[in-house]
Amino acid sequence: MDDSTDPTILDTPAEKLGASRRLFLGLAGAGAGAAALSACAAGGGSSDEGDGEAGVGTGEGEVSEDNPFGVSGDLPVDVVIFNGGYGDQYAKDAGDKYEEMYPDADVQVSSTVNIQPDLQPRFIGGNPPDLFDNSGAQSMNAGALVGEGSVAELDPLIEAASIDGGTIRDSLIPGSLDAGMYSGKLYALNYVYTVYAVWLSRKQFEEKGWSLPITWDDVMTIGEAAKAEGIALFPWGGQNASNYYRELALSMAIKEGGIEVQKNLDRLEPDAFEQESVVAAYAAIEDAVRAGYFLSGGAGIKHTEAQAQWVTGKAVMYPSGSWIENEQKGITPEDYEMVGVPTPQLSTGGAMPAEAIHGTAGEPFFVPSDAANGPGGLEFLRVMLSKEQAQNFSKITSSPTVLKDTIPEDAFGSTALASTNEMITAAGENTFNISHRDWYGLGPDTVTLWTEFLSGDLTADEAREREQSLIDAVREDDSIEKFDVPE
């Protein structure tokens, strides 16, 4: 085959970064009927084709406070869940509740770790699910889906009556809708409130006499002590390294330099990776690599294998989201006492306090504009956004949802969930989010460079230069829709 005619072989950064959108559209044009990406909904939603404002209309049932979307109770509902750190039991339980409310409905809840490979053909074929959880390393390019009108706006959902009374909007943690906003419009309902932190064993720290780290100097001091005992400071899995250590570096940079650092990154500024605090954060990671504090062999393993090394005593800390305890169930020792601490400060004089967190809603749920039963997809989300289902999720996964006041004082016996709650409370308004990676589908393109960086094959300066080239390519590619960054 001539590589120049193969749309999956891409040489330049701009080609790579525009690929998801262009290849998706190209395949749609070649597919049966070429109708998958039309913004016209087959089952309730409609919009002008390609305007990015697809909607889900009212179903055939009677609209009422108890049925705000006019759901037809005898129509099937097709839901696809990412079967990752949170599993899929919570969604199956929500499906049981839906069937209890609508006894004639056939609710199909399926799960996969391959969201894009499994769902892209369904979009192309014009039969997407009614609701899907767009998460994981193989998630679909959300920005492309929004830009082409392939997913519906969700304002009707949050303005609808909650199962528990009041509106759904009023029941949510402030700011939890922000991650699903694209240029001021809500397209994704992010269900889980995620706190990104550094996770460790409280029991181990107490036994070693180590204080919980607040600054990066504290982290390096612990790394030196651990290395002397033959223990690594950090484990890492090359296949997903950028998900965890890139996040750590950028969160440290934002805490040091302030929210404007985050905004410059999300705006794809030409000097985003030359900001002083970003330079310092990447240099800090490089210091740990060169000191030998990263566990060897990470390039060839997955993140779950690295996490297993951590909880079984081969490493001390791991940067991750608050899904980590649930993801490690069955491997973590019962007396491990997993807790999280906020991202370390680069200095004690940073722009944000030590308690500040990268806290945001995660696990984005979308309703396709071409869904056969879009109102059913919305109603399934409304079921998930009840206190009963939110508490069930937290009990199963040891993670909070975006609903307020649903975690009991005992945190269902989870040390990780209790510490997550404590971090949320302590942070108050000192929270931030980082959006450009998800907006522009940058995840896959950062994996290789971070594997090389953590292996010691790239310097911090080289890693930043390559990061900058990636966002430069997005900024300069007119075929990629850019999203507004709030002032």
Side-chain angles (χ1 to χ4, degrees):
M1 174 183 286
D2 179 0
D3 289 353
S4 66
T5 64
D6 182 359
T8 65
I9 297 177
L10 307 156
D11 295 321
T12 69
E15 287 172 333
K16 291 179 180 179
L17 292 165
S20 177
R21 177 176 179 272
R22 291 194 295 269
L23 180 57
F24 190 76
L25 294 174
L27 288 172
L37 292 182
S38 169
C40 297
S46 65
S47 174
D48 293 332
E49 184 171 349
D51 67 1
E53 297 183 1
V56 172
T58 301
E60 297 176 4
E62 182 178 349
V63 175
S64 66
E65 188 166 319
D66 292 332
N67 186 4
F69 313 120
V71 167
S72 299
D74 58 350
L75 289 182
V77 184
D78 181 1
V79 180
V80 177
I81 300 297
F82 171 65
N83 194 5
Y86 301 119
D88 60 4
Q89 186 58 50
Y90 73 94
K92 292 177 180 178
D93 292 343
D96 290 342
K97 183 66 177 180
Y98 189 105
E99 289 184 336
E100 179 184 318
M101 294 168 60
Y102 301 96
D104 294 330
D106 178 17
V107 179
Q108 296 294 324
V109 177
S110 58
S111 58
T112 179
V113 296
N114 303 312
I115 294 295
Q116 181 170 9
D118 288 356
L119 294 191
Q120 185 164 291
R122 294 190 59 182
F123 273 85
I124 293 168
N127 66 326
D130 301 315
L131 176 69
F132 70 100
D133 173 14
N134 191 43
S135 192
Q138 298 193 66
S139 60
M140 302 186 78
N141 186 320
L145 291 173
V146 170
E148 296 306 320
S150 298
V151 289
E153 288 187 45
L154 297 183
D155 282 332
L157 171 72
I158 60 169
E159 301 303 340
S162 166
I163 288 175
D164 303 300
T167 65
I168 287 175
R169 180 189 293 276
D170 291 340
S171 71
L172 303 178
I173 294 173
S176 59
L177 295 175
D178 294 351
M181 303 290 286
Y182 291 79
S183 295
K185 296 179 180 179
L186 183 70
Y187 286 93
L189 190 287
N190 289 265
Y191 186 62
V192 187
Y193 195 84
T194 300
V195 173
Y196 292 88
V198 174
W199 300 87
L200 51 89
S201 165
R202 184 168 61 197
K203 177 187 176 185
Q204 181 186 42
F205 269 60
E206 289 175 351
E207 290 177 348
K208 299 291 187 184
W210 297 336
S211 298
L212 298 180
I214 298 174
T215 67
W216 185 253
D217 284 345
D218 296 337
V219 171
M220 294 292 281
T221 298
I222 294 167
E224 182 179 8
K227 185 178 180 181
E229 298 188 26
I231 307 170
L233 179 62
F234 293 118
W236 63 289
Q239 294 181 29
N240 305 79
S242 63
N243 289 12
Y244 304 96
Y245 290 97
R246 182 182 192 268
E247 187 283 325
L248 174 64
L250 294 184
S251 288
M252 288 197 297
I254 293 164
K255 288 183 71 166
E256 180 70 14
I259 294 297
E260 198 61 28
V261 173
Q262 169 256 312
K263 291 182 178 181
N264 288 335
L265 290 162
D266 286 348
R267 290 184 188 121
L268 310 175
E269 295 288 353
D271 59 352
F273 282 87
E274 297 173 14
Q275 296 178 93
E276 184 176 347
S277 65
V278 176
V279 173
Y282 275 60
I285 299 292
E286 183 178 37
D287 288 344
V289 171
R290 297 199 180 285
Y293 293 164
F294 279 81
L295 192 59
S296 62
I301 65 174
K302 296 184 293 187
H303 70 288
T304 49
E305 295 172 281
Q307 290 163 191
Q309 292 174 330
W310 162 53
V311 297
T312 54
K314 296 182 177 64
V316 175
M317 302 180 195
Y318 191 69
S320 183
S322 44
W323 62 77
I324 186 67
E325 183 184 58
N326 189 65
E327 194 167 45
Q328 291 309 110
K329 278 183 178 176
I331 300 173
T332 307
E334 289 186 10
D335 60 349
Y336 192 78
E337 296 185 41
M338 187 185 296
V339 297
V341 295
T343 301
Q345 293 179 297
L346 286 171
S347 75
T348 56
M352 301 187 78
E355 295 81 11
I357 57 172
H358 177 188
T360 184
E363 223 58 26
F365 281 79
F366 289 90
V367 175
S369 53
D370 206 31
N373 186 9
L378 291 174
E379 183 72 348
F380 195 99
L381 273 176
R382 194 172 79 101
V383 170
M384 288 176 57
L385 290 165
S386 66
K387 286 188 176 181
E388 177 187 23
Q389 296 304 316
Q391 287 186 330
N392 181 61
F393 176 90
S394 295
K395 186 174 183 179
I396 291 173
T397 67
S398 301
S399 297
T401 70
V402 293
L403 262 72
K404 296 184 289 190
D405 305 324
T406 55
I407 306 300
E409 189 173 341
D410 67 355
F412 304 112
S414 165
T415 56
L417 180 55
S419 70
T420 297
N421 241 12
E422 290 167 4
M423 285 188 282
I424 293 170
T425 301
E429 298 296 318
N430 291 303
T431 65
F432 57 88
N433 188 30
I434 309 168
S435 299
H436 65 278
R437 180 180 178 273
D438 293 330
W439 280 351
Y440 305 112
L442 289 172
D445 295 283
T446 60
V447 170
T448 301
L449 78 87
W450 270 87
T451 298
E452 294 176 12
F453 184 24
L454 297 183
S455 296
D457 297 330
L458 275 186
T459 66
D461 288 346
E462 290 169 336
R464 286 188 300 98
E465 288 170 6
R466 282 175 55 177
E467 294 264 28
Q468 185 66 51
S469 71
L470 291 176
I471 67 169
D472 287 345
V474 175
R475 187 184 63 254
E476 295 165 7
D477 189 339
D478 292 339
S479 75
I480 300 174
E481 181 173 357
K482 312 306 188 297
F483 298 106
D484 297 335
V485 178
E487 292 297 332

